[in-house]
Structures are given as structure tokens and as C-alpha cells.
Amino acid sequence: MPPSSKPEHAAISAISEPAVVRWLLIAAAVLFLGIFLLFPLGVVFGTALQKGFAFYFHTFRDPDTISAIRLTLIAAGIAVPLNLIFGVSAAWLIGKFQFVGKGLLITLIDLPFSVSPVVSGLIYVLLFGLQGVLGPWFIDHDIRIVFAVPGIVLATIFVTFPFIARELLPMMQAQGNDEEEAALTLGASGWQTFRKVTLPNVKWALLYGVILCNARAMGEFGAVSVVSGHIRGLTDTMPLHVEILYNDYQFVAAFAVASLLALLALATLAIKSIVEWKSGRRLKDEPLYGRGAQA
Amino acid sequence: MSIKVRDITKKFGRFTALEQVSLDINDGQLVALLGPSGCGKTTLLRIIAGLEFPDCGSIQFDGRDITDQTARERQVGFVFQHYALFRHLTVFENVAFGLRVRPRAARSNDSEIRAKVKELLALIQLENQAQRYPSQLSGGQRQRVALARALAVQPKVLLLDEPFGALDAKVRLELRRWLRRLHDEVHITSVFVTHDQEEALEVADRVAVMNRGQIEQVGSPDEVYDSPATPFVFDFLGSVNIFHGRVESAGVEAGTVKLSGPGHEHAFSRTQIATYVRPHELEIKRERNGDSSSVPATVVQVHKVGPLVRVELRGEDTKDIIRAEISRAVFQELALQPGDRVFVKALTERRFESDSPR
Amino acid sequence: MTFTLKQKSILPGFGLTLGFTVFYLSVIVLIPLAALFLKTSELSWHQFWHLVASPRALASYRLTFGASLIAALINLVCGVLVAWVVVRYKFPARGFFDSIVDLPFALPTAVAGISLTTLYAPNGWLGAPLMRLGVRAAYTPIGVTIALTFIGLPFVVRTVQPVLEDLDKELEEAAASLGAGRWRTFTRVLLPTILPAAITGFAMAFGRGVGEYGSVIFIAGNMPMHTEITSLLIVTKLQEFDYAGATAIAVAMLIVSFIFLLTINLLQVWSGRPRKASPADDEMIPRIDLRPAFGTQEAK
């Protein structure tokens, strides 16, 4: 929720601080954010462009880099749509129905959030690896999962698993079932109700969930690192490629690839702000409908 | 279309919302389900609509059992308490929704839909707001859109859940008269839920008073007001003075002085009973004039409320507070002051056996 | 069977969505996680303890938990400050700073890792001045703490912010009218109100720090016994094909994470901003008259 949609507190003198205190606090906060957020960001772009634009763009002509970008797009291209379908399904299930075990289901959906990235990768190695539970069967059938693309995709799905569901669920719960029930009494079918009533109401949360999910899918490092096997040009995603270049002392190239990921992060934040502004404004226009929707 | 509700029971977990409820609604009637919050009235309405399913019992429309039909199949118009307008659609598209989602075979073409929606918007006097979004309308306008949207599909039954609950007092009053007029024009069997007895008595043809998951009384507004079947109905339909006592022979012994009105010669013998008297049915006099049914009391407080004056008295024998409502003219004639000793007489009263004497 | 366990609803799709949700959850999350515990069960309790409590593992826990704790504490203080400033004050680029707080969520950890390392390296923009002060940041526990502070930065800000925004200003006005000074109002009225949210954010930042990998391994130096975090130890064991060792430590970490998840959920209940009470609670009582015109706002 953007701060602009909230009542301003600033004007009330009885409950505000002297100007000096105010500006000191602002300075401290800005300094903290500057050192911890802006400096690292500055380093990424500063180092990436250290040797000029020509060198910067040269990095992206390297076949290994191109293949890393391609693999990242593939992994996100599979993980995001699957998690989208899952997210919509889970949010509908949990948001619209009452059933036993709902609380447990919500906890289980949140589970990947609390599993550290390395462990997220490890579980697939233990399942599909050479000494894994299912590994030998897959290897007998000549299907490689770990240290290959499927493992990377699976790990990516795992770490981004809850994102879309988690964005949609509060919206669906907050909006209640009234509009859906109205649509059904008016003769709409289940699918019509979902498409014409539910979906338009959650579209901003959906968009934001997809963006977040995508950012994490493209940027995941720990989990993917464990299952990847680091085969250059084959199982390297962009973040893994950043690591390889950095460890090879190709700092400028490493930061050039990193800058792409940083741009993706900045774009994600920008879209988030736009979504909040859009949905926030809509909410502000609808005081009676302000049932706590939050992007 | 007539509606028959038979022995409906509905539980939510351990909470019993409805218990063995039966109700008959005749074709073309406007019926109010009246009761305090939590009495099950909305649950009953939602069960009639097919939005909720009963644990047991049945619902019939025109003698046909439709208990297992979905809301979609029942073809009812439902107006939600908070309107449930589709916030992403304009007023026009909200009203058109039901027509647009019909199966292709049954769907009218676009110009027919437009004509129909225009007609309905004229009915609710919102032709000029057709392209607005629900968020841009006032509460009363939203309510009318919700009504038009429900009527668009030509439902056989119109069900309204607290239709005026979320509106301010003045709009409420206008809109409920408008609903009454609309019903007189359209003549569709309608049921509405309300917790406001005035609303129910003014608008409805028949009122079903509900309490704790059961129907206490069904009748015309006059019937339920003038001859309440149960203490609850009496209490719920207006403020009331309750006098507890035992029946000796004809009069009630409240304290030591009998409080009795004319025409009630029930012979409860020595049962605990409570006498119910509405504040406006109490007469206040300066002198007893030999009327043994009058009770001596002291004026405690006087509140002037518009044309009425509410007088709070304390019975001399029982020390109970008695509330009376008299007109301003009578008040001026009596010139009551706190501390005055007066005599109070019930003009009409009703007695119910009471389980718990004070 | 599900239908007896479920309130009958007129909305369609229960069976379909339940089936798909449970299937997908099982394939992606539950079965792989089960594999982890299955693998651990091959170890005897003694073996397990030996692996989990080896000196190298213990050193890694000390670093991981210690650095996470310090980082979370820094974020607790600075996060409340940032949330306060962003909600209460108007200043240039406030919107920008508000948005940029989420950067650590969005920036891939590897990018954060190499950038923080470059920044705090002895010849880096911030590392060089620190060296002159005699502080070596990169490749020491200090570097680990810096990386974990970066990673955990948004949590406290984002949990405290909505509470501050929703705060009834009459509360402060009441305190002021009763003669409380600004500082007293802050410590006696505001702080107790935002504390539960702040602690929740603190716990989330701590939990995130404990599991963090990408942003730390570059700046840590990764010396066993000294600057090796637990996540890295798992990866190292895996690369040495010591599956048993990796698994045992992973299980230990996972259990700690679950305890954390539980704690955070309890904290959220305590802070009064839980997940929206399940609509089941509304359904228990007939819906009429009970729903306020304005619903509760959901904290995120």
C-alpha cells in the first residue's frame, strides 16, 4: 500500500517532532539506505561500465553468456507459468472454500519460504541424484535430472513455489464470495464467474505475484547452484555464470551480466510501485469497497 | 410463484442457525423476515436462494421440490446486503451481466440486451449514470443498481438481504417506499431480511418474526403488532414494560397492587405470569379517581423527543422503572415534574406465562 | 470423503483445485522434502549427532547464527527508523526510498554478493576507508554480517510500516493531551504498538539470514572454522560426495527453520495482525449484521 493512500500525519503539530529531530532522523535513514542499497547498486553498474560500453556489450557476445541467458529464460519460462496455475488454483481453493485441513495446507504452501536455498537444491539431489531415492531408476531410463536442465527447472519451481499463491490469497479472502455468488444467481457458470468476476478483481495482485515470481526465478542462485553441476554453456544460469566469471577474475564481464539481473530487479521494483499506485488508487476511489485489498 | 419452506435445519459447526423452520409464501407477496442479528433470517434467505444448503428439510417453488437445485438453476434474483456489485464493470454492464452470461442459445442479441438494460435503468432512475462505476455511486444508487441487476434476468423470486441496512436514515426511508411501489408494479414474489421492525411493518404484506433459528410468528403487520404470539415478538416489535406477578383470580398481582386492563379475564390460577404493556399504551393521571387498576408511581425523568414525551416513572410498590410515552399535549396538560406522584394505568396489555419470576 | 469435511458451497471447482493443489504440492515440495528425511533415517542417531556436532559444523553454526543475529538486530533498529521516516515525514525522493527498500528481495543474491564484496574489499569504495580505520570487512565475519544486513533489510521495514500507517493518531494526541512529551509518547505509546510487528520482522530477517547463501559466499572468505557459513558447509560436503554429512546438517537447519516459521506465525498472532482470520470464522455465525462495512486490512 503506497503511503499516499494513507492520511497524512505530518501536519499535526501536537504529535510531530521538532524540525531538527525530523531532519536528523531522515538523514540517518537515508544514510543507512544509501550505504546498504545504493552503494551496492552503484558498484554493479560502475564496474560493469568500467571499460566502456563497447566492452560491456562485448560480454553478451560470448556464447557461454548467451547460453546462460537462454537457460535462465527457459527455467523462468517453465517455472512461472506452472506456479501461476498452481497459485490461482490454490488461492481459489483456500480463499473460497471452507474445509478441514486448510490451515495445514497454507503452512505447507509457505514451506519453501522457510527452506534455505541450498537445502532446496539438496533435496532434489537426494531424490534424483546417483545415490538418490529415485535417481537410479531415472538413470536406468537415461533421464538426467540432477546436473541437467530438468533439475534446474525443478529447483527454480521450488524456490518460487509460494509467490503467486501468497499474493493472490489475501486478495481472494478479503474480497469474500459476494460477487461470485451474485454472478451465480445471475446465471453465470462457474468458469464464467471465475473469468468475468474473480479474475478482474485480483488482476493486480496476480500481476505482482508473477513479477515477483519471475524475478526470483531468474535470480535464484543457491538452489540452482547445488543441482546445476556448473557445466559451462550447458547448465549455467545467469547468476551461476556471474559466479564463474567472478571467480575467473573477469570482474567487468561478471558485473556486466550482473547488471542485467540488477536491471531486472529495478524493473521489478518499478512495476511493483506502479501496481501499488494503480490498485491503491482504485481502492481509494472505493471507500465502501475497501475490504482490505492490498497489492 | 409460491415458496414452501419445510422443516429446514441448518448448522454451522456447533451453532444451529435454523431449526425445523417452515414457512409458506404466497405468489406475489412481499414478505419480511424480521429478527435480531444471529436469528437465522439471512441463512434462511440464502437457503431459499440456493446459496446455502440445508442440513435437512426441503424447499419448494410452486410445489416443485428444488432443494437440490443450484442457485443458477433456481432463477432467483438476489440482492446482497453490501450489494456485491461487480466493481470492475460499469452500471450498465452490471445490469447486463445476467443477460450476457446466458448460454448462447438463450442469449438475446446485443441490441435486445441494450434495450432491456436501458428499460431497467429507467425504472431505477439511473439512465444518466450508466457508464459510471459502482465506486462512483452513492449507497442508495448502488442499492438500486443491485436491484436492477437482479431484476434483469426476470427472476421468479426476488430475495433481498438487509436491502437498506447500509444506508443512512433518510435514504432508507425513501428507498423502502420506492421498493413497496416497485413491488406493487412488478408483483414478483419477494422476501426481504431486516432487523428493523419499522421497515418490516411498513413495507411487507406479511412478516415472519424469527428468533434463535425459529419462526416465532407469521402474520400481517397488524396481526404481529396487535396480537403478538410470544413475549419475544411483543418485545421485538417495540419497547415494552414488563410487570411480573402471580395471578390471583382475574387481575395480576404486581407487588400488592393489581395492574389490570380491560378485557383480559384469563384465569391463570396462581401461575407466574408477566404482563406486557407498550409505553404508549400507558395512561398517566394525577388522580386515581377510585380506579383500582391504576398503580401509584413517581416521575423520575422526562425526555422530550420531538412530538412525543418519554416519561420514566418508578412504581411505588415494586420500585421497578416504568416507561411511558405520551403526547406533548397531554404532557403539557399534566405539567409533570420529576418527583411528582401520579397514577399509571395500562390501556391494553398482554400476559404471558413466565418461567422466571424476579 | 472430502465433502463431509467441507462446508457445502455453491462455488464450483473445489474438487479440481484441491486435486491439483495437493498433487503439485506433493510433487514439488512434499516428496522431495520426504527424500531428505528418508536419507537421514539411514543414519543412526549416533552417526547423525557426530555429523551435526562436528567442530567444523559447530563453528559454522556460531558464525551463521551469530552474524544473522547481529544483522537482524541492526535491521531491527534501522528498520524501525526507516519505516518511521518513510511513513511520517515528507522529504525529497521519499517515494524512491520507499520503493528501493525492497531491492534486497528483488536483487539476485549472487549480484548482491559480488557487489558487496567489491564494495568492501580492501581496495573497494567502502573497504578502503574502513581499512584505514583498521577494520577489515571483506573475508571476515564482519563481511558476513554486512551481507546478511543487506539481505534482511526489508523485513522489519515492511512489517512495521503498515502498523505505523494504520496507527490511530488520536492515540498520540491523547498521550500529548495527557502531558506526555514526544519521547515519552514514543517509548510508552508508539513503541509498544509497533514492537510485535518489529519483532516479527526481526525474526524473519534472522531466519532469512540463517539460510542465506549467495550473497554471503563471495564476501565471507570461506575459511573452514573461521568464515564458513553452514549453507556453504552443506555445499562443500555435497561436492565431496559426503551425502550423509550434507543431509544431516541440512536436516538440522531445516528443523531450526521450521521452529522459526512456527515462532513467526505465533508472533503474528500476538501482534494482532495475523493472516486474516479464516472466513470459516465468519461462517460459523450467520453472516448478517456481523460484517463491518470496512473490512480489516491484511498485513503482508
Side-chain angles (χ1 to χ4, degrees):
Chain A
M1 175 119 329
S4 56
S5 72
K6 292 286 168 187
E8 290 300 337
H9 296 263
I12 299 105
S13 61
I15 58 163
S16 98
E17 292 72 38
V20 183
V21 177
R22 225 159 48 217
W23 286 107
L24 273 175
L25 291 176
I26 292 172
V30 167
L31 188 71
F32 174 70
L33 294 181
I35 287 180
F36 273 93
L37 300 180
L38 298 186
F39 265 67
L41 211 51
V43 166
V44 172
F45 292 103
T47 317
L49 296 170
Q50 215 171 41
K51 296 190 184 166
F53 279 96
F55 194 89
Y56 179 78
F57 288 114
H58 180 76
T59 312
F60 301 110
R61 250 174 271 146
D62 176 53
D64 288 351
T65 306
I66 293 170
S67 113
I69 294 174
R70 191 189 304 126
L71 183 54
T72 292
L73 291 176
I74 289 172
I78 297 172
V80 175
L82 281 178
N83 283 338
L84 173 65
I85 296 169
F86 166 75
V88 171
S89 158
W92 177 266
L93 175 70
I94 294 166
K96 304 293 183 193
F97 298 104
Q98 314 310 326
F99 55 94
V100 173
K102 192 153 118 166
L104 178 69
L105 192 60
I106 295 174
T107 308
L108 290 178
I109 289 172
D110 274 347
L111 210 55
F113 272 156
S114 63
V115 176
S116 88
V118 167
V119 178
S120 310
L122 176 69
I123 56 176
Y124 289 103
V125 175
L126 294 179
L127 193 62
F128 298 116
L130 251 179
Q131 307 176 18
V133 180
L134 302 175
W137 186 88
F138 279 98
I139 287 157
D140 287 348
H141 290 75
D142 215 19
I143 302 168
R144 285 193 63 89
I145 292 184
V146 174
F147 310 132
V149 176
I152 289 172
V153 172
L154 276 174
T156 306
I157 292 175
F158 182 91
V159 292
T160 58
F161 182 83
F163 278 94
I164 296 171
R166 224 57 196 93
E167 286 304 316
L168 284 181
L169 188 52
M171 284 291 276
M172 287 221 188
Q173 281 184 333
Q175 285 174 351
N177 294 356
D178 279 8
E179 287 185 45
E180 282 79 9
E181 287 176 352
L184 289 168
T185 61
L186 291 169
S189 66
W191 174 244
Q192 281 173 323
T193 302
F194 176 73
R195 196 166 50 86
K196 293 190 169 209
V197 175
T198 310
L199 218 46
N201 278 336
V202 298
K203 65 177 178 218
W204 292 115
L206 190 74
L207 176 64
Y208 181 47
V210 167
I211 303 259
L212 265 187
C213 183
N214 179 62
R216 182 72 196 269
M218 291 191 169
E220 178 51 30
F221 178 73
V224 171
S225 169
V226 170
V227 294
S228 143
H230 304 274
I231 307 162
R232 271 199 192 203
L234 278 180
T235 62
D236 262 347
T237 63
M238 282 169 79
L240 298 179
H241 197 57
V242 168
E243 184 195 21
I244 288 177
L245 292 171
Y246 186 84
N247 287 344
D248 278 356
Y249 300 101
Q250 299 183 43
F251 292 130
V252 176
F255 275 104
V257 178
S259 74
L260 272 194
L261 291 168
L263 282 176
L264 172 73
L266 290 176
T268 303
L269 293 188
I271 294 171
K272 180 190 181 224
S273 294
I274 293 168
V275 165
E276 282 187 343
W277 178 70
K278 280 270 186 190
S279 57
R281 195 180 58 164
R282 281 174 65 83
L283 285 173
K284 211 175 154 193
D285 282 347
E286 296 168 325
L288 264 168
Y289 285 75
R291 302 238 197 101
Q294 193 160 29
Chain B
M1 176 147 68
S2 69
I3 305 171
K4 262 190 172 49
V5 175
R6 281 291 165 267
D7 298 323
I8 292 285
T9 296
K10 173 74 179 173
K11 292 190 166 92
F12 294 101
R14 270 166 297 163
F15 178 82
T16 304
L18 294 172
E19 198 169 2
Q20 296 274 319
V21 168
S22 296
L23 178 66
D24 285 322
I25 295 166
N26 293 337
D27 187 29
Q29 270 185 341
L30 178 55
V31 174
L33 299 179
L34 173 67
S37 72
C39 73
K41 55 193 190 297
T42 293
T43 306
L44 179 57
L45 192 77
R46 289 171 62 84
I47 285 174
I48 295 173
L51 291 171
E52 214 86 66
F53 296 94
D55 298 334
C56 53
S58 67
I59 307 277
Q60 296 173 11
F61 282 1
D62 271 343
R64 217 158 24 85
D65 191 311
I66 47 109
T67 316
D68 293 327
Q69 281 188 359
T70 63
R72 195 181 175 207
E73 293 160 338
R74 288 188 198 187
Q75 297 181 308
V76 296
F78 198 97
V79 177
F80 290 79
Q81 187 183 5
H82 297 287
Y83 322 128
L85 295 179
F86 305 124
R87 66 195 93 174
H88 63 287
L89 297 179
T90 60
V91 167
F92 188 94
E93 287 303 323
N94 260 284
V95 176
F97 186 91
L99 303 171
R100 294 208 196 280
V101 296
R102 282 188 179 162
R104 209 169 291 275
R107 201 184 302 163
S108 324
N109 65 38
D110 197 58
S111 61
E112 282 165 8
I113 290 177
R114 290 191 163 275
K116 175 81 188 163
V117 173
K118 278 216 174 91
E119 186 190 312
L120 280 159
L121 289 176
L123 185 72
I124 60 166
Q125 297 148 22
L126 282 178
E127 300 107 307
N128 299 328
Q129 323 280 329
Q131 294 313 312
R132 299 221 173 179
Y133 285 89
S135 59
Q136 297 165 311
L137 301 180
S138 71
Q141 289 172 330
R142 284 179 201 173
Q143 182 58 275
R144 273 148 47 203
V145 174
L147 209 60
R149 184 180 67 178
L151 289 172
V153 291
Q154 287 171 317
K156 300 178 199 159
V157 177
L158 184 62
L159 305 170
L160 307 102
D161 185 4
E162 289 277 357
F164 316 113
L167 303 171
D168 56 50
K170 194 162 173 287
V171 181
R172 260 178 115 105
L173 209 65
E174 278 170 24
L175 213 55
R176 73 190 191 208
R177 296 199 173 135
W178 180 79
L179 176 70
R180 181 68 239 185
R181 282 202 305 279
L182 186 81
H183 183 262
D184 292 341
E185 279 171 37
V186 187
H187 265 301
I188 174 172
T189 309
S190 307
V191 184
F192 75 101
V193 154
T194 180
H195 63 268
D196 180 342
Q197 76 276 7
E198 236 180 76
E199 202 166 281
L201 296 177
E202 180 178 336
V203 178
D205 296 322
R206 283 167 75 75
V207 179
V209 185
M210 294 185 68
N211 183 34
R212 295 188 189 183
Q214 290 183 317
I215 292 180
E216 299 255 337
Q217 187 176 8
V218 186
S220 71
D222 287 344
E223 277 164 23
V224 293
Y225 189 79
D226 293 335
S227 26
T230 64
F232 173 82
V233 175
F234 203 118
D235 198 9
F236 194 74
L237 288 181
S239 48
V240 68
N241 291 294
I242 304 172
F243 302 94
H244 292 272
R246 277 179 305 132
V247 170
E248 285 296 338
S249 55
V252 183
E253 204 175 289
T256 54
V257 176
K258 285 175 184 170
L259 181 94
S260 178
H264 285 278
E265 300 298 320
H266 304 294
F268 299 99
S269 99
R270 288 200 165 268
T271 25
Q272 294 291 344
I273 71 145
T275 306
Y276 285 64
V277 186
R278 297 216 180 278
H280 68 266
E281 288 167 340
L282 281 171
E283 188 184 21
I284 300 177
K285 285 193 282 192
R286 281 280 181 187
E287 304 295 333
R288 179 172 250 175
N289 292 338
D291 185 349
S292 64
S293 61
S294 292
V295 181
T298 312
V299 177
V300 181
Q301 271 187 320
V302 174
H303 307 278
K304 294 176 194 163
V305 191
L308 288 177
V309 179
R310 296 201 175 121
V311 184
E312 218 168 78
L313 309 116
R314 188 180 296 280
E316 241 163 53
D317 302 294
T318 56
K319 304 295 178 211
D320 284 339
I321 290 289
I322 304 169
R323 292 185 177 81
E325 253 175 40
I326 54 177
S327 72
R328 225 167 228 273
V330 172
F331 173 74
Q332 272 155 7
E333 195 188 306
L334 288 167
L336 293 177
Q337 293 290 330
D340 287 358
R341 186 166 189 268
V342 292
F343 295 91
V344 181
K345 181 184 169 173
L347 300 173
T348 47
E349 58 172 50
R350 262 192 73 85
R351 295 168 195 163
F352 299 99
E353 282 184 56
S354 75
D355 314 322
S356 53
R358 244 179 301 189
Chain C
M1 185 184 104
T2 49
F3 279 88
T4 58
L5 294 173
K6 161 185 174 279
Q7 290 268 339
K8 202 172 170 190
S9 167
I10 68 151
L11 294 181
F14 177 75
L16 181 72
T17 53
L18 181 72
F20 180 71
T21 302
V22 170
F23 168 76
Y24 191 73
L25 181 73
S26 306
V27 168
I28 299 296
V29 180
L30 299 183
I31 293 172
L33 273 178
L36 183 69
F37 287 96
L38 200 70
K39 207 78 189 167
T40 320
S41 67
E42 291 171 6
L43 297 169
S44 74
W45 179 245
H46 180 74
Q47 286 171 308
F48 178 77
W49 185 250
H50 184 72
L51 289 164
V52 166
S54 71
R56 191 173 166 187
L58 288 178
S60 84
Y61 303 149
R62 263 196 298 278
L63 175 68
T64 307
F65 285 92
S68 297
L69 185 69
I70 295 169
L73 283 171
I74 294 172
N75 277 321
L76 179 64
V77 176
C78 296
V80 171
L81 172 74
V82 170
W84 175 267
V85 165
V86 166
V87 172
R88 287 304 179 93
Y89 302 146
K90 281 202 141 144
F91 57 94
R94 182 179 72 167
F96 168 76
F97 281 108
D98 185 20
S99 306
I100 205 81
V101 164
D102 283 329
L103 184 71
F105 284 157
L107 194 69
T109 52
V111 177
I114 61 166
S115 134
L116 287 171
T117 310
T118 309
L119 192 58
Y120 288 95
N123 59 350
W125 294 357
L126 293 173
L130 283 174
M131 276 306 269
R132 251 173 273 136
L133 295 171
V135 180
R136 198 184 159 84
Y139 318 122
T140 69
I142 296 175
V144 176
T145 310
I146 290 171
L148 294 181
T149 307
F150 172 85
I151 282 302
L153 192 147
F155 289 99
V156 176
V157 181
R158 290 301 185 228
T159 50
V160 170
Q161 210 174 355
V163 180
L164 276 179
E165 280 170 354
D166 286 352
L167 207 63
D168 192 352
K169 65 171 185 279
E170 284 180 6
L171 205 67
E172 286 169 72
E173 286 171 337
S177 76
L178 293 170
R182 218 34 216 150
W183 179 246
R184 271 178 83 84
T185 306
F186 182 77
T187 53
R188 295 291 182 84
V189 177
L190 293 175
L191 214 51
T193 317
I194 58 175
L195 196 64
I199 300 285
T200 305
F202 166 82
M204 287 171 154
F206 181 73
R208 172 77 202 261
V210 169
E212 182 53 27
Y213 176 70
S215 62
V216 179
I217 53 160
F218 295 97
I219 202 171
N222 305 332
M223 293 271 295
M225 303 300 292
H226 183 53
T227 54
E228 183 181 55
I229 56 165
T230 310
S231 290
L232 182 72
L233 182 58
I234 295 174
V235 172
T236 310
K237 296 225 175 237
L238 209 55
Q239 278 163 356
E240 294 163 357
F241 300 102
D242 178 5
Y243 281 48
T247 310
I249 296 171
V251 164
M253 274 187 79
L254 208 56
I255 291 169
V256 173
S257 316
F258 289 167
I259 292 171
F260 247 90
L261 184 70
L262 199 70
T263 315
I264 291 170
N265 281 346
L266 290 176
L267 281 172
Q268 279 178 334
V269 173
W270 173 48
S271 71
R273 305 187 125 263
R275 286 189 196 105
K276 188 182 160 73
S278 100
D281 302 347
D282 296 340
E283 296 289 333
M284 294 301 286
I285 307 161
R287 311 218 315 197
I288 188 83
D289 301 336
L290 292 172
R291 281 176 302 178
F294 297 86
T296 45
Q297 286 242 329
E298 169 104 1
K300 220 181 55 200

